[in-house]
Amino acid sequence: MTEATEFDLARPFHADENTRARAKERALAAGLTVTAESRLGFTVCGPPAAYEELTGGRIESYEVLQRVQNGRLRYVTHLDVVGDGQPADLGVGAVRDTDAIEAVVLEQPRSPYRLSPAAQAPNVSKYHLRLPGDVAMLLGATAAQQQGALGGGVVVAMVDTGHYAHTYFALQGYRIDPVVTVVPGTNPAEDPIGHGTGESANVFAVAPGATLRFYRASNSSGQLTSAMAGFLRAKGDHPQVLTNSWGGDLDYPPPDPMPPASSRVWVLEITDAVQQGIVVVFSAGNGHFSIEPQIPGVIAAGGVFVGPGLVLQASDYASGYASPWFDGEIVPTVCGLVGMLPRAQYLMLPIPPGCELDVEESQPSDGQFPDTPDGTRSDDGWALFSGTSAAAPQIAGAAAVLLGAGGRPGLTVQQLTEALVKTATDVTVGHNHPRFNNPAGPGPDEATGPGLANVGEALKYVRTHF
């Protein structure tokens, strides 16, 4: 038996309806608002006093130095429940009345992994790829699209900072459902950061016929404060594919032989989604070490850079490693297209005019990552960026193509993953992010996994093997 067996089945942790009803009553009585729920539990929001009423402890903050948006190192505020009888595990609180609620887990902050305007992208001198054509061609999706395999009939859910109705999406005729907000009081039409809007274009570059169902999990400032609630809401709506371009950042190598206690509930929720037959995709990270991409059954999207001479190399912006917690799990599972250090300014993506990314990428970088601007204006609604945030929706688009009318609607998560892995283009040059510094070489490795996804070849594999 391996240490991972604890999470192999989420079913023993499912709560019956009566227990869930009592638990919600306790939470509501304490002054909390239920924002999403699953078969294992539910997410809530509310003032510190409400959590203190439920647990009998008190809410205190602590600072953690971690990688955040654009790979920068910053201290990020985390919360914990402290007091008599409270567990030592950070972010976990015991409750007074345990007949319905076993524990309270405070969500750790997540960061987007990147990171009316003109519908056409501006011309800039810095080397980059354009969507949809360049991305579709380099991922082998053009051949599949020419055969009519567009991802039609497949819903791809995406949890991120928000989605803005950029004219680029309207011009292309992409299908986008009304945005679902998770944080009370936030505007479904806004994306203050621009991350979700830009990265979602990668889904359609590969699967132009798919339907995007977007879940805004950010607060009014655009900070991704409710990623878990967004994931639960999306999971509850049963999409075929669920893509996530964000995650946390933990110590590497980890000091403990198992994931932190505060992460175990999260592991079960994601495992439950996989066991429901949802194709769950997570970014591998931009130098991050996070629990999400390591979970068995999840497709972890890593990074390959294709330069001007069409030479493939491992992206030194992307994470890659052997999981220390789950035997046999390698991050990444397969790769998408990702830029290089220092800023991964690689894909020209549509974003809300004047949003944080629009301004940030158009300016010289700070002293931490000296580099030139991307060549766009700070208010034109376009920017060069990528990261494994781009790889995840690219792989989600690949999944949509394989599941759609051009592939096999009854394809299992395991079969779909096998097709992507078996047909990926091997990458033998370069190293991944310096934090891990794993070299790419012949065959599967910890820098790029099996290599760069090839959608056309994966579709052939599906049609001949399943």
Side-chain angles (χ1 to χ4, degrees):
M1 301 290 285
T2 68
E3 293 176 326
T5 56
E6 178 179 348
F7 306 107
D8 285 348
L9 292 175
R11 188 179 302 278
F13 298 92
H14 292 174
D16 60 68
E17 291 186 9
N18 290 335
T19 302
R20 288 202 299 269
R22 292 199 309 274
K24 282 195 282 188
E25 287 179 6
R26 304 286 192 280
L28 294 173
L32 295 167
T33 299
V34 175
T35 56
E37 59 183 294
S38 76
R39 296 181 293 184
L40 292 93
F42 51 88
T43 57
V44 295
C45 66
Y51 292 93
E52 292 170 351
E53 170 65 25
L54 188 66
T55 63
R58 63 183 184 280
I59 303 295
E60 290 190 355
S61 64
Y62 61 99
E63 301 298 314
V64 176
L65 183 64
Q66 64 183 50
R67 284 174 175 78
V68 293
Q69 194 167 301
N70 283 343
R72 287 170 168 77
L73 289 172
R74 291 178 184 165
Y75 280 98
V76 178
T77 300
H78 291 57
L79 298 176
D80 188 26
V81 182
V82 301
D84 293 340
Q86 294 300 325
D89 292 311
L90 295 172
V92 180
V95 296
R96 290 174 170 176
D97 186 354
T98 60
D99 72 321
I101 302 177
E102 293 186 46
V104 172
V105 178
L106 301 179
E107 182 169 350
Q108 296 180 354
R110 259 69 181 181
S111 299
Y113 282 169
R114 21 177 212 262
L115 296 197
S116 156
Q120 297 289 344
N123 292 316
V124 299
S125 59
K126 180 171 285 191
Y127 174 73
H128 66 280
L129 304 181
R130 285 177 173 256
L131 278 74
D134 290 347
V135 169
M137 182 269 292
L138 292 173
L139 290 175
T142 304
Q145 293 171 6
Q146 290 172 344
Q147 299 172 38
L150 308 176
V154 177
V155 173
V156 177
M158 186 171 185
V159 178
D160 213 289
T161 58
H163 197 275
Y164 169 77
H166 196 288
T167 50
Y168 168 82
F169 298 101
L171 177 67
Q172 299 291 339
Y174 296 143
R175 298 179 180 87
I176 303 173
D177 285 346
V179 175
V180 177
T181 60
V182 177
V183 179
T186 52
N187 188 339
E190 294 180 350
D191 180 11
I193 303 296
H195 184 268
T197 302
E199 300 298 12
S200 71
N202 287 281
V203 173
F204 294 117
V206 180
T211 297
L212 178 67
R213 184 177 295 159
F214 202 95
Y215 296 79
R216 177 181 173 178
S218 66
N219 61 15
S220 57
S221 300
Q223 298 169 318
L224 206 59
T225 57
S226 297
M228 184 178 289
F231 186 92
L232 265 62
R233 286 284 294 275
K235 178 173 71 167
D237 288 339
H238 304 291
Q240 288 100 319
V241 185
L242 175 47
T243 183
N244 309 272
S245 296
W246 44 266
D249 188 38
L250 303 170
D251 291 337
Y252 182 84
D256 300 314
M258 289 294 291
S262 58
S263 297
R264 297 188 185 188
V265 171
W266 194 213
V267 172
L268 290 169
E269 288 288 1
I270 295 174
T271 300
D272 181 59
V274 174
Q275 291 171 353
Q276 290 185 46
I278 300 172
V279 178
V280 178
V281 184
F282 269 94
S283 298
N286 306 330
H288 303 78
F289 176 70
S290 183
I291 186 66
E292 292 90 351
Q294 304 179 48
I295 297 171
V298 165
I299 299 179
V304 169
F305 177 78
V306 182
L310 297 183
V311 175
L312 278 63
Q313 67 181 96
S315 167
D316 62 1
Y317 199 74
S319 300
Y321 49 85
S323 172
W325 293 322
F326 303 99
D327 286 353
E329 294 298 321
I330 302 294
V331 174
T333 309
V334 70
C335 289
L337 296 162
V338 176
M340 301 288 280
L341 286 172
R343 296 174 72 176
Q345 292 179 329
Y346 187 43
L347 306 176
M348 183 64 76
L349 299 173
I351 52 177
C355 69
E356 182 175 313
L357 274 172
D358 204 1
V359 174
E360 186 175 85
E361 300 298 346
S362 69
Q363 304 299 322
S365 186
D366 57 28
Q368 188 174 355
F369 294 132
D371 193 21
T372 57
D374 68 357
T376 66
R377 298 198 319 270
S378 63
D379 61 352
D380 63 358
W382 291 90
L384 287 181
F385 59 104
S386 61
T388 54
S389 276
Q394 290 165 14
I395 299 304
V401 169
L402 301 186
L403 290 170
R408 293 289 186 271
L411 203 64
T412 68
V413 175
Q414 293 79 8
Q415 291 171 335
L416 187 149
T417 303
E418 177 184 328
L420 290 173
V421 169
K422 293 288 188 180
T423 60
T425 303
D426 194 17
V427 179
T428 60
V429 176
H431 289 70
N432 67 352
H433 193 280
R435 186 181 187 187
F436 308 99
N437 200 34
N438 291 312
D445 52 61
E446 294 176 19
T448 63
L452 182 66
N454 187 321
V455 181
E457 290 301 312
L459 184 60
K460 291 180 185 177
Y461 187 95
V462 166
R463 288 173 169 170
T464 57
H465 287 75
F466 308 119

